[in-house]
């Protein structure tokens, strides 16, 4: 679904409000809309899990760090982070990274067609601070190490095949990945205050063992045209990948990344922005900028991002007030859910089940504020299609 050039919404008093023009062009504010004008309406009171949801939605706890998952014998990992869902016959699988160092890695939970938990297991071990990642069209999970000279690991959500280190995708402080099956590339974010936005062009699509790492080249403005340039030494040593190409564009703390319909969106937590690359004409612009709505919007601490079949973007907060916010195709931003009583945590890993009726995500540190207090949730309800 096509999206307009820049988010044109603010939230006044906790409710969404359309603005009279694109924010980066300095438009004046229009009168705020009435409460509940987001696509799902206002949030209700906290449920038994401490989650505020719109009418018609319910939540349940899927897993807790250090505890067995459902009736399985598998103990869930600490600090759950990035995640994705995969169809598995009539059921599905949710994979989740572990952002701890050392160890890290990733795990998976299997569900039946009714949503019952039928299994849980490890799919990646012995890695460091696995933060976000991305799903490939050939149904593997790219788990990214958020450490200096970190790697991308290609893993099997079913846990049958051993994980493989993909050194050709570059060594840097990896955050997220998003596959573009049209251009046959993988986009990559870098979580540094002067990080870069990359794409990996595999020699053969579907095989990430070799290829070319490229970096986005553009000016310092918040909109314009861009090109791609090869990174001479993807291993990042002795010169960091972000410092190798003159004119490559700097981004303040790259986080989540999502591709759909010839567009890629990615978030930068350092300046609370969502960027949009229009791949048909090689232009970029802001899809959301918290500073331009003077802190009145609900979305702060932008982090992981995913999309729904409706064209809605769902953005998780690291900071703010522990919300997942929705950005609609007609440029409205609104709170979708909020977790109460967990201000020392962050929301991670939002991903929809294959049929789009269930949203999975985690509170990385839960109520304890510790990596051992992570909680993974499922929200079910009438999501827009």
């Amino acid at each position: 679904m096509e999206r307009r050039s820049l988010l044109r919404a603010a939230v006044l008093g906790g409710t969404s409000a359309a603005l009279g023009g694109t924010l980066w062009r300095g438009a004046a504010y229009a009168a705020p809309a009435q409460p509940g004008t987001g696509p799902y309406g206002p949030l209700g009171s906290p449920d038994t899990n401490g989650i505020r949801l719109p009418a018609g939605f319910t939540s349940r706890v899927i897993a807790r760090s250090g505890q067995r998952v459902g009736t399985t014998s598998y103990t869930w990992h600490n600090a759950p982070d990035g995640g994705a869902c995969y169809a598995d016959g009539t059921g599905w699988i949710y994979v989740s990274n572990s952002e701890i160092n050392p160890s890290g890695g990733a795990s998976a939970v299997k569900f039946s067609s009714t949503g019952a938990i039928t299994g849980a297991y490890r799919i990646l071990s012995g890695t460091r601070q696995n933060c976000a990642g991305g799903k490939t069209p050939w149904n593997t999970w790219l788990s990214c190490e958020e450490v200096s000279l970190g790697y991308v690991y290609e893993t099997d959500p079913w846990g049958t095949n051993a994980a493989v280190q993909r050194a050709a995708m570059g060594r840097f402080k990896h955050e997220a990945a998003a596959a573009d099956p049209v251009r046959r590339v993988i986009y990559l974010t870098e979580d540094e205050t002067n990080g870069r936005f990359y794409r990996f062009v595999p020699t053969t699509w579907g095989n990430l063992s070799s290829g070319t790492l490229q970096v986005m080249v553009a000016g310092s403005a918040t909109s314009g045209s861009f090109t791609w340039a090869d990174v001479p030494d993807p291993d990042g040593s002795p010169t960091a990948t972000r410092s190798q190409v003159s004119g490559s564009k700097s981004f303040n703390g790259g986080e989540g990344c999502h591709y759909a319909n010839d567009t890629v969106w990615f978030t930068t937590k350092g300046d609370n922005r969502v960027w949009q690359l229009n791949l048909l004409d090689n232009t970029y612009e802001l899809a959301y900028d918290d500073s331009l709505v003077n802190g009145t919007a609900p979305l702060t601490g932008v982090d992981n991002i995913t999309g729904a079949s409706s064209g809605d973007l769902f953005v998780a907060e690291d900071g703010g007030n522990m919300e997942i916010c929705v950005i609609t195709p007609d440029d409205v931003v609104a709170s979708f859910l909020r977790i109460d009583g967990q201000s020392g945590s962050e929301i991670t890993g939002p991903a929809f089940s294959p049929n789009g009726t269930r949203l999975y995500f985690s509170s990385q540190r839960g109520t304890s504020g510790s990596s051992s207090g992570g909680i993974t949730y499922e929200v079910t309800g009438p999501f827009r299609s």
Side-chain angles (χ1 to χ4, degrees):
M1 181 179 294
E2 183 181 357
R3 304 180 69 92
R4 291 205 294 275
S5 61
L6 179 67
L7 179 79
R8 297 188 297 111
V11 167
L12 306 179
T15 62
S16 60
L19 298 182
T22 52
L23 295 176
W24 65 272
R25 291 175 181 150
Y29 285 102
Q34 295 302 307
T37 54
Y40 293 103
L43 303 184
S45 300
D47 65 10
T48 56
N49 297 316
I51 301 180
R52 296 177 181 267
L53 292 162
F57 289 87
T58 59
S59 75
R60 68 166 171 162
V61 173
I62 296 303
R64 294 179 183 271
S65 296
Q67 298 184 22
R68 291 183 177 181
V69 180
T71 59
T72 75
S73 62
Y74 184 74
T75 301
W76 198 235
H77 56 261
N78 288 348
D81 206 288
C85 281
Y86 299 79
D88 179 45
T90 58
W92 59 91
I93 296 169
Y94 177 67
V95 300
S96 170
N97 280 343
S98 175
E99 195 188 12
I100 57 173
N101 188 8
S103 297
S107 304
V109 181
K110 292 186 73 171
F111 299 88
S112 72
S113 59
T114 63
I117 296 172
T118 60
Y121 45 90
R122 195 78 170 177
I123 62 172
L124 177 64
S125 300
T127 55
R128 304 170 297 162
Q129 202 163 323
N130 296 77
C131 196
K135 179 180 178 179
T136 68
W138 48 94
N139 287 325
T140 58
W141 168 245
L142 302 180
S143 183
C144 298
E145 289 185 312
E146 190 195 0
V147 295
S148 178
L149 299 179
Y151 288 102
V152 174
Y153 289 83
E154 187 170 15
T155 68
D156 176 13
W158 287 262
T160 301
N161 300 312
V164 180
Q165 185 184 92
R166 296 304 190 191
M169 299 184 76
R171 298 193 65 187
F172 52 87
K173 200 172 182 181
H174 284 277
E175 182 70 29
D180 177 351
V182 177
R183 277 145 288 272
R184 297 190 169 188
V185 301
I186 308 290
Y187 301 104
L188 302 161
T189 58
E190 180 178 26
D191 193 0
E192 299 275 9
T193 56
N194 62 341
R196 299 300 194 262
F197 188 71
Y198 304 88
R199 73 174 186 180
F200 178 67
V201 186
T203 303
T204 303
W205 184 236
N207 183 344
L208 303 178
S209 62
S210 65
T212 303
L213 181 68
Q214 297 182 324
V215 65
M216 179 179 167
V217 175
S220 59
T222 55
S223 64
S225 60
F226 68 89
T227 58
W228 300 99
D230 293 353
V231 175
D233 295 308
D235 65 1
S237 178
T239 304
T241 54
R242 64 186 180 279
S243 301
Q244 292 182 24
V245 176
S246 177
S248 59
K249 186 170 179 60
S250 176
F251 293 97
N252 189 353
E255 293 286 343
C257 192
H258 174 68
Y259 168 87
N261 300 325
D262 298 310
T263 306
V264 61
W265 294 269
F266 64 97
T267 62
T268 49
K269 187 169 61 181
D271 49 17
N272 281 315
R273 287 171 167 173
V274 181
W275 298 84
Q276 176 177 320
L277 270 61
N278 307 305
L279 302 168
L280 292 178
D281 61 5
N282 289 330
T283 61
Y284 70 96
E285 57 195 316
L286 287 172
Y288 175 79
D289 186 352
D290 178 62
S291 68
L292 295 180
V293 290
N294 299 323
T296 57
L299 179 56
T300 58
V302 298
D303 205 307
N304 289 174
I305 184 171
T306 193
S309 59
S310 60
D312 294 331
L313 298 176
F314 286 75
V315 187
E317 290 186 338
D318 177 359
N321 54 357
M322 287 289 288
E323 291 187 342
I324 293 179
C325 293
V326 59
I327 301 176
T328 71
D330 55 351
D331 296 335
V332 169
V333 61
S335 302
F336 171 70
L337 65 80
R338 182 187 308 151
I339 304 177
D340 280 4
Q342 299 187 26
S343 59
S345 187
E346 63 185 272
I347 296 182
T348 59
F352 282 94
S353 61
N355 65 6
T357 64
R358 302 170 191 246
L359 176 65
Y360 295 91
F361 60 94
S362 296
S363 170
Q364 190 178 80
R365 296 177 293 278
T367 56
S368 70
S370 165
S371 63
S372 61
I375 309 171
T376 300
Y377 299 96
E378 173 195 85
V379 164
T380 304
F383 289 100
R384 305 201 304 171
S385 60

